Amino acid sequence: LINHGSKGKANVKLQWPSGKGPSLKYHQESWFDLTVEQLAATDKQKRGLMLEIVATRDIEIGEEVFLDYGPAWQDAWDDHIQKWEPWTTNGNYVPSSSLNIAGSL
């Protein structure tokens, strides 16, 4: 998985296949011209649109990989955090943060 890295934390980007990489072999550029309905009817046994994950700087061994998901994602996440409330219908609910503090994991 690649986590969101805003405010300069991102160290990778997404791009359409370029050069002679292996993903170019499976990328169907003609799919760009299809409607949603045409894509839905397309044979799902074939690969179609491929993306490459490209480092934007050197990434150290063990360093987490971050991709900037964009401002709309960040806004939606901030809204979710602001409005989220714990599950109260389950009497056994324990937030994971409590388990982490207690060392129960």
Side-chain angles (χ1 to χ4, degrees):
L1 295 176
I2 300 176
N3 288 318
H4 174 58
S6 63
K7 299 178 184 157
K9 279 181 71 175
N11 52 14
V12 298
K13 66 179 181 177
L14 293 177
Q15 69 181 29
W16 295 114
S18 62
K20 300 175 186 172
S23 58
L24 191 58
K25 175 180 177 184
Y26 303 108
H27 183 69
Q28 303 296 323
E29 200 167 315
S30 62
W31 283 22
F32 287 142
D33 299 323
L34 299 179
T35 65
V36 171
E37 293 78 18
Q38 290 169 321
L39 279 172
T42 302
D43 182 3
K44 303 303 184 279
Q45 299 302 314
K46 296 179 182 177
R47 294 175 181 100
L49 298 176
M50 306 295 287
L51 289 169
E52 296 174 338
I53 300 169
V54 180
T56 56
R57 61 167 177 79
D58 289 344
I59 299 173
E60 301 293 326
I61 295 173
E63 182 181 356
E64 188 166 358
V65 176
F66 290 105
L67 173 71
D68 186 347
Y69 296 174
W73 185 92
Q74 187 66 53
D75 291 346
W77 177 253
D78 292 343
D79 185 58
H80 166 73
I81 294 298
Q82 187 176 37
K83 294 178 181 176
W84 184 83
E85 294 183 14
W87 210 22
T88 57
T89 58
N90 182 341
N92 297 321
Y93 174 79
V94 178
S96 60
S97 58
S98 296
L99 296 173
N100 289 340
I101 293 168
S104 300
L105 290 178

